[in-house]
Amino acid sequence: MIVARRCGGAPSTNGAMPMPTVVRDLMSSPAVTCEAGTSLAEAARVMRDAGTGSVIVTERAKVAGILTERDLLRAAAAMTTASAETVEMWMTANPDVLGPDEEVDAAWTSLAHHQYRHLPVVDAHDLVGVVSLRDLMGVARLRPADEQGTEIPAGLEGVVAAETALGDVRGEEGFFHYRQYSAVELAARRSFEDVWYLMLEGELPDRDQARRFAGEVAGLRHLPPGLASMLPEVAERGSPFEVLRTAVSLLGAELGWRPTHDIGGAELRAQALRLGAVVPTIMAAAYNLGEGRTPVGPRSDLSSAANYLWMVTGTEPTALHARAVEQYQILTIDHGFNASTFAARVITSTGADLAAAVCGAIGALSGPLHGGAPSRALAMLDDIAGADRAEEWLRAAVDRGDRVMGFGHRVYKTDDPRSLFLRDVARSLGGPLVDLAEQVEGTAVDVLAEMKPGRRLFTNVEFYAGVVMNTCGIPREMFTPTFAAGRTIGWTAHVIEQEAHNRLIRPAARYTGPPPPVPVPVPGP
């Protein structure tokens, strides 16, 4: 296995690294490679060990192709035997290549045209490195904006509305992070409580801090008496997620939460902890009341995810199921300036209390274009029923103009990293639903590529989220509430950040009506 290392230009005279302008300045060298006759299983191991999403395929030291994670997925969907199939059968042959002295813009153009994420760098027919979309995104972030656009993008897409230290989404390269850490790596290695601590404190806890913090939030899960007495009546009038909006408002009123403008950081942090701890209890109680059952009280001896499953199902979950739900909720804590997070920050900018801000966020999440897709993706799998029906079903759906649920994302222009991670979580759980989901995914990617050329439609987080939650025993009407339980941590962290450096969010609008002033007509007799 060959693992790539970063090449870099010489420091400038003032000691700073110059901005990369040619491919040589930002390529990784040597490239991660394998031979065309390598088995898919071995190529997958090479990619995993190198931590890369593709491998350059060579024949007699010359570039012969590229094999990506997407190719491995297609092979798996075709029910191939990874140890028997060779790379040559599944790779993209004769890929576009770059010269080391080509301008960076040439790399951008080639990646955009071919929809690659990695390109080989060749000097006189010899492979000398590889340049990735992530490398180019790093350069893009360094480039100053030469001019400000005059057109307002629909939905304010790409407009920078604020600064945040909580995290970011880099959609072109399929990466997102919380603080300075990869969100996917956090989901793989840390607990939900650890990531909660990170979002509030700016650093991961050590062992003692983690134990104290977990104990602190576990003690805040109970419903206050007034809300507990009113919840049965409220639960008769809506779904658990609809109940949550009212319950959060009642919680803030009962606990006397004052406007964020009038309280200090310590008080706001305490409110954020209370809300993050009690939201799962509210939703589990609302679900059980709606089913005609007595709510199951929280347990302080269980982790957040295990306690949530306990309250929803009334059964203590297995460690495997608790960890799967925990990892899903870690991945949903934050995701850039999505609609609900932005709503929470706008409300906070007015100085309103925490309950008001989170109620606004819940309202935004309730919209079908923002939340609720996991159950719809699972309904699609139910309707398809078998892998042998997938292609026919998908083609008919595309012909009708129907949206294929669980595919495509507003931000990601490549694989959604949350979906890739949850696919592995689903595999660890196993079962016929997981097998069906993988087969449908492989078929859907090919069908969408054929019938919607020029559009890159891969699975988003909702596709495997529903599979994971369903397998762990969470009822479908609780999918969006389960998402909200994780996202509440992100909402409250953004409220705290907004209040710490607050300025009223008051954008302008471009008037497009009839030219004023028009004389006001006098009413007729």
Side-chain angles (χ1 to χ4, degrees), residues 229-320:
S229 65
M230 297 180 68
L231 201 57
E233 183 177 353
V234 177
E236 292 179 357
R237 290 166 167 77
S239 69
F241 192 66
E242 292 168 332
V243 170
L244 182 63
R245 289 194 302 245
T246 301
V248 168
S249 183
L250 290 171
L251 177 75
E254 180 174 357
L255 299 183
W257 288 355
R258 296 182 293 156
T260 57
H261 185 71
D262 298 333
I263 63 177
E267 185 174 349
L268 182 56
R269 180 187 183 277
Q271 292 176 2
L273 287 179
R274 183 77 166 103
L275 185 61
V278 80
V279 159
T281 307
I282 292 171
M283 292 187 298
Y287 168 70
N288 280 298
L289 286 166
E291 295 294 309
R293 296 189 294 263
T294 301
V296 177
R299 287 171 49 178
S300 60
D301 62 316
L302 297 175
S303 68
S304 291
N307 175 66
Y308 177 68
L309 283 169
W310 156 255
M311 291 189 297
V312 170
T313 66
T315 302
E316 185 170 339
T318 65
L320 182 64

Side-chain angles (χ1 to χ4, degrees), residues 88-103:
E88 186 176 21
M89 300 176 66
W90 293 93
M91 70 182 185
T92 298
N94 302 314
D96 197 12
V97 299
L98 295 166
D101 296 315
E102 290 191 59
E103 296 290 329

Side-chain angles (χ1 to χ4, degrees), residues 41-175:
E42 176 62 16
R45 185 190 67 79
V46 168
M47 280 190 268
R48 183 184 65 247
D49 291 346
T52 184
S54 68
V55 62
I56 307 301
V57 184
T58 59
E59 286 183 344
R60 296 183 295 278
K62 307 301 182 185
V63 174
I66 297 179
L67 185 81
T68 69
E69 287 181 332
R70 177 60 54 191
D71 298 321
L72 294 175
L73 178 60
R74 288 194 301 112
M79 308 295 287
T80 60
T81 303
S83 60
E85 295 279 318
T86 63
V87 165
E88 186 176 21
M89 300 176 66
W90 293 93
M91 70 182 185
T92 298
N94 302 314
D96 197 12
V97 299
L98 295 166
D101 296 315
E102 290 191 59
E103 296 290 329
V104 168
D105 287 345
W108 270 114
T109 301
S110 186
L111 284 165
H113 178 70
H114 294 284
Q115 300 184 4
Y116 295 155
R117 294 177 65 185
H118 299 81
L119 279 175
V121 182
V122 173
D123 189 6
H125 305 292
D126 294 326
L127 178 65
V128 295
V130 63
V131 65
S132 70
L133 188 59
R134 179 171 294 187
D135 298 328
L136 295 172
M137 290 299 295
V139 174
R141 286 194 300 276
L142 291 173
R143 291 184 174 180
D146 293 327
E147 60 183 18
Q148 206 166 21
T150 57
E151 293 300 316
I152 302 173
L156 301 181
E157 185 167 356
V159 174
V160 175
E163 294 183 345
T164 180
L166 293 172
D168 192 20
V169 181
R170 306 208 294 255
E172 288 289 344
E173 58 185 287
F175 175 77

Side-chain angles (χ1 to χ4, degrees), residues 5 40 61 90 124 215 232 242 257 279 285 303 320 325 327 331 343 383 387 396 412 426 435 461 464 507 510:
R5 66 177 185 274
L40 288 179
W90 293 93
E242 292 168 332
W257 288 355
V279 159
S303 68
L320 182 64
V325 171
Q327 289 178 311
L331 293 174
D383 202 23
Y412 290 115
D435 296 337
V461 65
Y464 280 104
R510 177 180 293 166

Side-chain angles (χ1 to χ4, degrees), residues 211-468:
R211 185 175 60 252
R212 288 196 299 270
F213 184 76
E216 180 182 8
V217 296
L220 299 173
R221 294 170 178 163
H222 61 278
L223 298 175
L227 178 57
S229 65
M230 297 180 68
L231 201 57
E233 183 177 353
V234 177
E236 292 179 357
R237 290 166 167 77
S239 69
F241 192 66
E242 292 168 332
V243 170
L244 182 63
R245 289 194 302 245
T246 301
V248 168
S249 183
L250 290 171
L251 177 75
E254 180 174 357
L255 299 183
W257 288 355
R258 296 182 293 156
T260 57
H261 185 71
D262 298 333
I263 63 177
E267 185 174 349
L268 182 56
R269 180 187 183 277
Q271 292 176 2
L273 287 179
R274 183 77 166 103
L275 185 61
V278 80
V279 159
T281 307
I282 292 171
M283 292 187 298
Y287 168 70
N288 280 298
L289 286 166
E291 295 294 309
R293 296 189 294 263
T294 301
V296 177
R299 287 171 49 178
S300 60
D301 62 316
L302 297 175
S303 68
S304 291
N307 175 66
Y308 177 68
L309 283 169
W310 156 255
M311 291 189 297
V312 170
T313 66
T315 302
E316 185 170 339
T318 65
L320 182 64
H321 285 178
R323 180 58 176 157
V325 171
E326 177 177 61
Q327 289 178 311
Y328 168 65
Q329 289 188 317
I330 290 172
L331 293 174
T332 63
I333 282 176
D334 190 44
H335 204 244
F337 264 38
N338 55 82
S340 58
T341 295
F342 187 54
R345 291 191 71 130
V346 170
I347 294 169
T348 302
S349 79
T350 71
D353 64 75
L354 177 65
V358 173
C359 282
I362 294 168
L365 184 62
S366 69
L369 298 184
H370 187 22
S375 58
R376 299 182 185 195
L378 202 58
M380 179 184 74
L381 293 178
D382 288 343
D383 202 23
I384 293 174
D388 57 334
R389 296 188 62 239
E391 182 171 355
E392 178 186 359
W393 191 98
L394 290 162
R395 288 185 179 278
V398 175
D399 282 337
R400 291 193 303 269
D402 295 348
R403 181 182 174 188
V404 180
M405 302 307 299
F407 285 79
H409 193 274
R410 176 73 172 269
V411 175
Y412 290 115
K413 307 307 178 187
T414 182
D415 292 290
D416 185 333
R418 301 168 299 176
S419 178
L420 295 178
F421 186 90
L422 288 174
R423 185 176 67 208
D424 288 339
V425 172
R427 286 172 176 167
S428 72
L429 297 171
L433 180 60
V434 177
D435 296 337
L436 174 63
E438 286 201 73
Q439 292 161 356
V440 168
E441 179 187 13
T443 302
V445 168
D446 289 340
V447 168
L448 291 170
E450 176 190 336
M451 301 185 70
K452 292 183 176 291
R455 297 185 63 187
R456 294 173 286 181
L457 295 172
F458 306 128
T459 54
N460 55 42
V461 65
E462 285 86 6
F463 187 79
Y464 280 104
V467 174
V468 168

